[in-house]
Amino acid sequence: MAVEAAWQRSPQARTLTARRNETAAGREAAQSWIAGSPTIGLSQRSDRWTDRTGVRENEVSLAAPIWLPGQKSARQNQADANALELEAQLANAKLSLAGEVRDRLWSVVAAREALDEAIEHQRHLEATADEVMRRVKAGDLARTDGLLAQQEVFAAKATVMDAQVKAQEALVRYTALTGQPDVETPEPEPLAAAISDPHPRILAARAGIQSAQASLKVVNKTRSEPPTLAVAMRRERDASTATASSVVLAVQIPIGTNARNRPLETAAQTQIASATAEAAQAEVTLNADINVAKEQVAASQQALEAAASRLDMAREHMQLIDKAFRLGERGLVDQLRAQTLLHEAATAERQQRVAVGLAHARLNQALGIIP
């Protein structure tokens, strides 16, 4: 599938996927019973350089920051919210990439339709030029008519070469995105009956709000740095060479201040306000995109019907002019003009079919459907 192929090549997909390890590490850290890395301390006290009475003291300590009530659960909720936000971002990024694949796919189809019609128009003009040159040799038409017909053929060849370049450019852009060397002419996508639930764009926006709210809860639960609990084993020797051992328990409790807490709190509140505004804007934009896409589907279908009617009339007109030209009742200019009108009508009808396919794809895109 083109979308899956493009997803495997997408730098954004690789970046977001790599962040899964980051969120997993955050969850693991939040589940730990200590709030940070433990430390081991070694200390020795001696009067060797002072009184020299033989007093010695050795101490080995182990210290670690510990969670206060509510901090551990707040950290876990934040880690879970960050993981959910990442998954929502992945889904939204894949949907956005699907829209780009759809646009490039139908760009290739449009360019190929233009090329096919240009080739067909060139063939008609070449047949007309052959007929004109035969009649010029027979004396039925003037030499100027032969030159005019040949000029039209050369102009058509230039149009074909330009269409070939555009078709190749469109295919190169599609291949660069998906890695697929070619495409088959697709049929218009069946229209989805309803919006995807949950829609990736809305899900990503709401996940952003939840993540911001979880961050604020962490700030509220962490008014100061975590306290540190230490356990130490002390061994002392006095001047009489007697030794004694003791166990030391120590607690260090940091004191939170407004200078530390206020910036963190306001930053978290700003993040919530920003995420809420973005979510509201996402819903409004999504509804507008869906309505516009539905209107484009209806308009493209009506335009296709009009283009098909125009093509039928152009063909009938061409048949009448061609018959009159062969009977000598119409001139070459009328013949070429009729062919030009038929070419324009056929091109418009082909492009309008592409427009219908693109309109279907964009409506499904707006509805959150990934092909």
Side-chain angles (χ1 to χ4, degrees), residues 274-343:
S274 177
T276 302
E278 290 178 0
Q281 182 63 34
E283 292 186 5
V284 172
T285 303
L286 178 61
N287 292 330
D289 289 345
I290 292 175
N291 292 333
V292 169
K294 288 181 178 180
E295 293 176 358
Q296 288 178 342
V297 169
S300 63
Q301 189 62 46
Q302 294 176 356
L304 177 59
E305 295 174 0
S309 299
R310 175 191 174 189
L311 179 59
D312 292 339
M313 294 180 183
R315 285 172 177 166
E316 183 178 359
H317 178 257
M318 179 62 203
Q319 291 173 355
L320 295 174
I321 294 297
D322 184 63
K323 182 178 180 181
F325 172 70
R326 295 180 183 279
L327 294 175
E329 298 175 355
R330 288 295 186 102
L332 178 60
V333 174
D334 294 332
Q335 168 79 350
L336 295 176
R337 175 61 177 165
Q339 285 185 345
T340 299
L341 291 175
L342 178 58
H343 169 61

Side-chain angles (χ1 to χ4, degrees), residues 164-365:
Q164 287 175 338
V165 171
K166 291 181 179 179
Q168 184 62 27
E169 289 178 350
L171 180 59
V172 167
R173 288 193 293 270
Y174 176 82
T175 302
L177 180 64
T178 65
Q180 297 182 343
D182 202 0
V183 299
E184 296 181 358
T185 302
E187 293 293 330
E189 296 181 23
L191 293 178
I195 188 172
S196 175
D197 186 23
H199 195 286
R201 287 167 61 179
I202 301 302
L203 184 62
R206 292 175 179 174
I209 297 177
Q210 294 175 354
S211 178
Q213 291 174 340
S215 297
L216 179 59
K217 289 181 180 179
V218 170
V219 172
N220 290 333
K221 292 293 184 179
T222 312
R223 290 296 177 179
S224 63
E225 296 298 330
T228 300
L229 177 64
V231 179
M233 175 65 70
R234 181 179 298 171
R235 185 177 181 85
E236 300 173 323
R237 187 180 68 176
D238 57 19
S240 63
T241 70
T243 60
S245 300
S246 61
V247 176
V248 180
L249 294 178
V251 177
Q252 291 183 339
I253 303 177
I255 299 176
T257 62
N258 289 332
R260 172 194 178 277
N261 298 327
R262 187 58 180 167
L264 298 175
E265 184 177 356
T266 54
Q269 291 174 344
T270 301
Q271 186 180 3
I272 291 177
S274 177
T276 302
E278 290 178 0
Q281 182 63 34
E283 292 186 5
V284 172
T285 303
L286 178 61
N287 292 330
D289 289 345
I290 292 175
N291 292 333
V292 169
K294 288 181 178 180
E295 293 176 358
Q296 288 178 342
V297 169
S300 63
Q301 189 62 46
Q302 294 176 356
L304 177 59
E305 295 174 0
S309 299
R310 175 191 174 189
L311 179 59
D312 292 339
M313 294 180 183
R315 285 172 177 166
E316 183 178 359
H317 178 257
M318 179 62 203
Q319 291 173 355
L320 295 174
I321 294 297
D322 184 63
K323 182 178 180 181
F325 172 70
R326 295 180 183 279
L327 294 175
E329 298 175 355
R330 288 295 186 102
L332 178 60
V333 174
D334 294 332
Q335 168 79 350
L336 295 176
R337 175 61 177 165
Q339 285 185 345
T340 299
L341 291 175
L342 178 58
H343 169 61
E344 292 176 351
T347 300
E349 195 269 346
R350 285 173 179 261
Q351 293 300 320
Q352 200 54 52
R353 289 188 182 276
V354 174
V356 170
L358 180 58
H360 280 219
R362 286 181 172 173
L363 177 55
N364 284 342
Q365 176 72 21

Side-chain angles (χ1 to χ4, degrees), residues 87-148:
E87 295 303 320
Q89 289 176 350
L90 280 165
N92 190 36
K94 191 171 185 178
L95 177 63
S96 298
L97 185 62
E100 190 173 354
V101 171
R102 281 168 162 143
D103 286 345
R104 294 198 185 185
L105 171 63
W106 286 102
S107 293
V108 174
V109 176
R112 287 184 173 179
E113 290 291 341
L115 175 60
D116 292 342
E117 180 54 35
I119 293 174
E120 186 174 348
H121 183 53
Q122 178 186 337
R123 291 173 181 171
H124 285 305
L125 289 176
E126 288 175 341
T128 299
D130 292 341
E131 174 66 17
V132 169
M133 294 306 298
R134 184 187 64 80
R135 293 178 63 178
V136 168
K137 292 178 181 180
D140 294 338
L141 294 176
R143 176 64 178 168
T144 55
D145 289 337
L147 293 174
L148 177 60

